[in-house]
């Protein structure tokens, strides 16, 4: 057969790939299929956790690899061809009638190239257009069969491949990463019983309660339609006009105006499924569940001034951070937690669990860790994977189910619908990044860009000609939880939805002083940008209902008197179970103390203390942090010890905001040189103002002080974020510096009294 195959043209070989069945399918689909699932076995052809493997992942390991291998293209050592596979001899010149003559219409090579180029763009996502993604896996800790029959939670150690996309919400595809916004946290689990998409955000609540208001919210937040400004910012009239008329948004607004709206990194933010979902066990029993992702690196944010400057210095800041961390083996990890509670518990809460503007405080239902997710491989191709991935809130698997949250109901419709125009038709599930690891068999056929070659003549059910296949899975398949429903057909909301402020107040009360100060600052900034005074006033009237000190702070910032409170939708909100929830503070999760992939600047010039600079660099490398020798220009500087240091980057190319911490290594001559360069002084000043850790060695003190760095707080106490070391052996001070970097920011400086 092989000899025959070799002698035949390629496409005639096709029949041989499939043997007799392909060459004469005379009995249609009644032929015994090779697929074990159809043959009656409960096994699917591909088990997701087999693909994900076990043990510590190898660098570059990607559980999704195999399924994508069939479409990977590598052109190394290949000749250039047209899309039809015709070798191209000249890719420089179009075909002309004479060297100076007109181009010829018959130039199919030029026409194919231009036509393809002309159609390279697809519509961007209507929200979450700007994003970055990575491959990885989810590993279940213990079987959760008591609560759910979802296959990914069936065994301890079971791994399921995932593809995760992080995004901003309101900016366009090319907008900056560090704008103030919620962040999307969308996870596609390729389980062995189909794809489950957990399409969440880094904020556990949403602006609105009903999907009916989603288009209004998005229209209000996006650039204003007459002049298409501002880009990727809610600081404008239409957003605040809408919000000030939507008191239900008050809770989400508190989160968005907090430092959660400007995360340091996708690796350092939480994720939330937001809605209440259901877990459904084998016996049909169901519990409610809320999903939480917790980053092992802790939750950390940027300073607003830093975020603004980063948008210019590196608009790809979060994309680059995610990419570089994975490339250097610092795999982002998140723990999945579940809050599991019964319907009876939910009934007793002071709030409605079907209202997406409410959280279930952790004091009421603890977050139970159930597994961890590791992101360990960057995509090969941004468009093919990150742009074409289609998440959908309707994609759930047996063992999970929806709740009757009215916001979720709209999402179940909207996501598939949007892909139809974004990805061009009903077959987007066949795009490799979207196609499940589990097999798909049904009678859906044809449509634009169909890839599958469904065989046989049967595309209906019931059938006898296809032996009844594909047959219904019955109880083994997805079954909706048998939830009794009743009631009149109405438009409206349940009573507890009308309490718009209690949890906004809970959030405010749970913040530390510095977080509160930042929230006031964020409101002040956004509302200062608003041009219509009546909108500012309406917002203040709403904030009075959240907390008086908040409203007073914002009013003072705006130079406005405090208006009376906006009348509440309900006069009798239920008494909340708690007034403070420490878990709501960003500082509640400082992380695991590591500084992997943090960026640290070591300032150098001729005459620098080279031994110390190199020792710090080596020490930080041992912690897997990324240090850079920053100089005035590229090339080498000569250390005081005579040795050379290669400058990695310049102050111009990588300004202060691109670093998490700075080292001023000393060396009289170097410090004098650097002190005379404006951008260097500004660099240090900004590090100090942004409350970052600063390590000052020996004679570096004069440079630090000339930039305004103070070694002590005004109380005389040492600033734990400013370390001054005089000794020879810098290894002595390094552990303290590492600890200061792991703590991320030293806000003592900011509040003591406001000095930066
Ligand atoms: Fe949505 C995208 C998250 C409410 C309609 N949404 C989208 C993405 C995320 C979320 C992370 C980007 C997915 C990706 O990376 O491709 N959305 C949420 C959360 C919500 C939410 C956490 C509230 C709990 N969304 C929501 C509602 C609707 C939509 C109420 C409509 C009724 N969302 C969409 C969409 C998008 C989308 C228009 C745009 C692109 C896409 O779906 O694929 O369908």
């Amino acid at each position: 057969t092989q000899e025959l195959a070799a002698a035949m043209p390629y496409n005639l070989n096709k029949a041989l790939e499939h043997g007799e069945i392909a060459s004469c399918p005379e009995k249609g689909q009644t032929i015994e299929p090779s697929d074990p699932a159809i043959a009656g076995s409960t096994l699917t052809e591909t088990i997701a956790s087999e693909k994900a493997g076990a043990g510590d992942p190898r660098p570059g390991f990607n559980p999704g690899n195999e399924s994508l291998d069939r479409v990977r293209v590598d052109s190394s050592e290949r000749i250039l061809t047209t899309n039809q596979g015709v070798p191209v001899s000249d890719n420089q010149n179009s075909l002309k009638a004479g060297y100076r003559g007109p181009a010829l219409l018959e130039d199919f090579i030029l026409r194919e190239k231009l036509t393809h180029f002309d159609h390279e763009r697809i519509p961007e996502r209507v929200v979450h257009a700007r994003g970055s993604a990575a491959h990885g896996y989810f590993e279940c800790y213990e079987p959760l069969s008591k609560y759910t029959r979802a296959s990914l939670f069936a065994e301890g150690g079971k791994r399921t491949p995932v593809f995760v996309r992080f995004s901003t919400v309101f900016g366009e595809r090319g907008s900056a990463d560090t704008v103030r916004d919620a962040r999307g946290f969308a996870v596609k689990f390729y389980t062995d019983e189909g794809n489950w998409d957990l399409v969440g955000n880094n904020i556990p609540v949403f602006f609105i309660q009903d999907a009916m208001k989603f288009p209004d919210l998005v229209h209000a937040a996006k650039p204003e339609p007459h002049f298409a400004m501002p880009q990727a910012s809610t600081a404008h009239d239409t957003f605040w006009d809408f919000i000030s008329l939507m008191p239900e948004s008050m809770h989400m607004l508190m989160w968005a105006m907090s430092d959660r709206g400007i995360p340091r990194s996708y690796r350092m933010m939480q994720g939330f499924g937001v809605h209440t979902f259901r877990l459904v066990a084998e016996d049909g029993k169901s519990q409610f569940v809320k999903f939480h992702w917790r980053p092992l690196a802790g939750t950390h944010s940027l300073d607003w001034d830093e975020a603004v400057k980063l948008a210019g210095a590196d608009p790809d800041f979060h994309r680059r951070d995610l990419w570089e961390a994975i490339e250097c083996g610092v795999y982002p990890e998140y723990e999945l937690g579940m809050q599991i509670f019964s319907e009876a518990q939910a009934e007793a809460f002071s709030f409605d669990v079907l209202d997406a503007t409410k959280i279930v405080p952790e004091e009421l239902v603890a977050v139970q860790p159930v597994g961890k997710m590791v992101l360990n491989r960057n995509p090969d191709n941004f468009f093919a994977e990150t742009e074409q991935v289609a998440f959908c809130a309707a994609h759930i698997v047996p063992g999970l189910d929806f709740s009757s949250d009215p916001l979720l109901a709209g999402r179940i419709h909207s996501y598939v619908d949007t892909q139809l125009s974004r990805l061009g038709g009903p077959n987007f599930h066949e795009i490799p990044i979207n196609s499940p690891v589990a097999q798909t068999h049904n009678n859906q056929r044809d449509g634009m860009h169909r890839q599958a070659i469904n065989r046989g003549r049967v595309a209906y059910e019931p059938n006898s000609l296809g032996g009844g296949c594909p047959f219904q899975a019955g109880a083994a398949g997805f079954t909706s939880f048998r939830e009794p429903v009743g009631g009149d057909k109405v438009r409206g909301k349940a009573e507890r939805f009308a309490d718009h402020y209690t949890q906004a107040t809970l959030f405010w009360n749970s913040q530390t002083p510095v977080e509160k100060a930042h929230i006031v600052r964020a409101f002040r900034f956004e509302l200062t940008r608003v041009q219509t005074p009546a909108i500012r006033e309406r917002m203040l009237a709403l904030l009075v209902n959240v907390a008086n000190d908040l409203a007073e702070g914002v009013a003072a910032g705006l130079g406005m008197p405090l208006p009376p409170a906006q009348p509440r939708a309900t006069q009798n909100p239920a008494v909340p179970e708690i007034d403070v929830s420490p878990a709501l503070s960003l500082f509640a999760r400082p992380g695991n103390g590591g500084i992997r992939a943090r960026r640290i600047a070591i300032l150098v010039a001729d005459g620098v203390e080279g031994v110390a600079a190199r020792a710090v660099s080596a020490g930080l490398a041992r912690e897997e942090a990324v240090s850079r020798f920053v100089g005035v220009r590229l090339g080498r500087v000569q250390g005081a010890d005579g040795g050379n240091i290669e400058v990695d980057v310049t102050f111009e190319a990588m300004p202060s905001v691109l670093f998490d911490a700075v080292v001023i290594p000393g060396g009289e001559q170097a410090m004098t040189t650097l002190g005379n360069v404006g951008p260097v002084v500004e660099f240090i000043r900004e590090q100090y103002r942004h409350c970052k850790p600063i390590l000052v060695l020996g004679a570096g003190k004069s440079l630090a002080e000339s930039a305004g760095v103070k070694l002590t707080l005004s109380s005389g106490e040492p600033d734990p974020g400013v370390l001054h070391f005089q000794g020879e052996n810098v290894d002595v001070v390094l552990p303290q510096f590492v600890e200061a970097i792991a703590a991320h920011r030293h806000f003592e400086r900011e509040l003591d009294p406001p000095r930066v």
Side-chain angles (χ1 to χ4, degrees), residues 125-128 165-167 183-186 199-201 203 205-206 208 210-211 214-215 272-275 356 386 389-391 407-408 410-411 414-416 418-419 422:
R125 289 166 174 83
V126 58
V127 281
H128 297 265
R165 183 172 179 272
F166 304 104
S167 47
R183 298 296 186 283
F185 193 128
V199 196
N201 276 346
I203 293 180
V205 286
F206 203 61
I208 49 169
D210 192 308
F214 189 69
F272 302 92
V274 180
H275 310 282
T386 309
V389 67
F391 291 94
L407 190 71
L408 178 56
R411 296 184 72 194
S414 215
Y415 288 74
V416 169
T418 201
Q419 312 308 348
R422 194 171 76 82

Side-chain angles (χ1 to χ4, degrees), residues 276 288 341-353 496:
T276 298
F288 281 140
F341 51 98
S342 68
E343 209 135 337
Q345 272 175 293
E347 269 314 306
F349 294 149
S350 63
F351 50 88
D352 198 322
V353 299
R496 281 178 294 176

Side-chain angles (χ1 to χ4, degrees), residues 311-352:
D314 186 4
D316 307 309
F317 186 67
H318 287 152
R319 177 173 294 179
R320 196 182 310 284
D321 174 90
L322 180 67
W323 179 274
E324 288 182 352
I326 295 175
E327 285 302 295
C328 68
V330 178
Y331 300 140
E333 293 187 28
Y334 308 81
E335 187 160 66
L336 180 65
M338 291 186 185
Q339 282 178 299
I340 302 174
F341 51 98
S342 68
E343 209 135 337
Q345 272 175 293
E347 269 314 306
F349 294 149
S350 63
F351 50 88
D352 198 322

Side-chain angles (χ1 to χ4, degrees), residues 179-195:
V179 298
R180 177 177 298 283
D181 201 347
R183 298 296 186 283
F185 193 128
V187 182
K188 190 180 281 294
F189 296 88
Y190 301 89
T191 88
D192 39 28
E193 289 197 317
N195 285 356

Side-chain angles (χ1 to χ4, degrees), residues 10 29 57 77 118 198 214 250 263 309 388 438 572 581 602 647 654 660 665 679 693 723 741:
Y10 174 69
Q29 287 177 340
E77 295 179 39
D118 292 342
L198 182 56
F214 189 69
M250 230 31 59
K309 288 173 176 159
Q388 292 202 105
N572 303 310
S581 171
I602 305 174
V647 174
M654 279 191 80
D660 292 297
L723 309 177
I741 300 170

Side-chain angles (χ1 to χ4, degrees), residues 69-85:
D69 264 353
R70 66 189 169 88
V71 285
R72 285 210 165 82
V73 177
D74 183 347
S75 295
S76 49
E77 295 179 39
R78 304 290 156 148
I79 55 165
L80 182 77
T81 73
T82 66
N83 280 340
Q84 303 305 317

